[in-house]
Amino acid sequence: MIGPDIAGIAETLGTAADTATPIAQLAAETGLDVDAAYAVQTALVQRRLDRGERLVGLKMGLTSKAKMAQVGVDEVIWGRLTDTMRIPDGGTIDMADFIHPRVEPEVAFLLDRLPEPGEPVGDFTDAVRAVAPAIELIDSRYANFTFSLPDVIADNTSAGAFVIGPWSPVPDGLDNLGVLLEIDGRLTQVGSTAAILGDPRRALDEGIRLAGRHGVRLREGWVFLAGAATAAVPLRAGAHVRAVVEKLGTASLRSSS
């Protein structure tokens, strides 16, 4: 039996991202399962690396019940971050680069020494050098932001762009910090870091475990986005977005008009 065309699916998704053109879901038609979807993700990201981008970290997806319900799937997933996805804190993103972008508040970790895949994190402060508030911009390449689990994995978990606020030392607790998302000065989402697997620190364990299954080891100096604390909000042209995380501070971005 011939399996899915990994390279062909990656090329289709990559072209959709490059041209900001939505496409139909692919998994059902191509027979893509979760393992094959991660193979597509690897090929999709390699396409970016081949044109000079660098891997700078990993991101978790669907770590909150709100996000799972919003997109209709029920399994934690992970994706990759490259240097061109990073926007300076307070910077502006070009809306023309995206199909239907959404923003969500997150917690970011700056990674230090990490255990081998399969080895549990002994002391979180050994593995994480610093913590920061963050905003992730997600942008599914599928029409109507609708997809199956293999579809979203193949699409690098809808990775679009990210902003990281000021880094700070790891506080004593990360499990129940208040989180706000403001757009144009108006409060649009209220949440807690408890929505991220009960404690964002658990997301790192999951990231090490899940990525390790596919031969990916997290590296010192990488950024790790632990997952969204609220549902994602559609981003309008000309908007100013600010995420606030208790004890950690703020991160912000603007969208072009």
Side-chain angles (χ1 to χ4, degrees):
M1 181 177 177
I2 299 175
D5 178 5
I6 302 300
I9 297 170
E11 186 64 25
T12 298
L13 283 164
T15 299
D18 291 344
T19 61
T21 304
I23 59 173
Q25 295 181 59
L26 298 167
E29 179 182 340
T30 60
L32 206 60
D33 62 13
V34 167
D35 285 339
Y38 277 115
V40 171
Q41 183 190 121
T42 298
L44 178 66
V45 174
Q46 187 61 50
R47 188 176 180 274
R48 301 179 72 118
L49 302 183
D50 289 345
R51 62 192 186 201
E53 297 182 37
R54 294 181 299 106
L55 276 177
V56 295
L58 295 187
K59 53 157 286 188
M60 299 301 287
L62 309 180
T63 51
S64 74
K65 291 182 179 179
K67 284 305 299 298
M68 288 182 184
Q70 187 176 31
V71 300
V73 297
D74 59 1
E75 183 173 310
V76 175
I77 57 178
W78 63 277
R80 295 157 165 98
L81 303 171
T82 73
D83 59 327
T84 64
M85 296 179 187
R86 186 164 182 173
I87 308 298
D89 189 18
T92 300
I93 64 104
D94 188 344
M95 291 289 283
D97 291 339
F98 303 98
I99 300 168
H100 33 210
R102 299 179 179 181
V103 287
E104 53 193 28
E106 301 214 8
V107 173
F109 301 143
L110 180 60
L111 301 184
D112 211 333
R113 183 203 63 79
L114 286 163
E116 297 289 339
E119 177 190 350
V121 176
D123 185 341
F124 184 79
T125 56
D126 282 346
V128 173
R129 188 181 310 165
V131 185
I135 299 170
E136 186 181 4
L137 183 153
I138 56 174
D139 187 42
S140 174
R141 267 52 72 168
Y142 302 111
N144 303 315
F145 225 107
T146 303
F147 41 74
S148 68
L149 187 64
D151 279 314
V152 68
I153 291 169
D155 189 28
N156 196 26
T157 64
S158 304
F162 65 98
V163 172
I164 296 176
W167 295 108
S168 60
V170 180
D172 291 337
L174 287 170
D175 58 330
N176 193 23
L177 303 180
V179 178
L180 307 176
L181 183 68
E182 301 172 353
I183 297 182
D184 294 332
R186 297 179 180 177
L187 187 61
T188 60
Q189 292 285 323
V190 177
S192 165
T193 56
I196 307 170
L197 296 179
D199 185 328
R201 290 172 291 195
R202 290 180 186 153
L204 182 59
D205 283 315
E206 284 292 287
I208 292 170
R209 181 179 66 83
L210 293 172
R213 278 187 193 170
H214 298 273
V216 176
R217 183 180 179 187
L218 281 68
R219 302 175 189 172
E220 181 179 348
W222 272 12
V223 168
F224 182 85
L225 296 182
T230 72
V233 175
L235 181 62
R236 302 185 307 271
H240 177 258
V241 180
R242 190 172 82 122
V244 184
V245 182
E246 182 184 358
K247 294 185 180 180
L248 302 185
T250 67
S252 68
L253 64 80
R254 294 183 181 274
S255 57
S256 63
S257 301

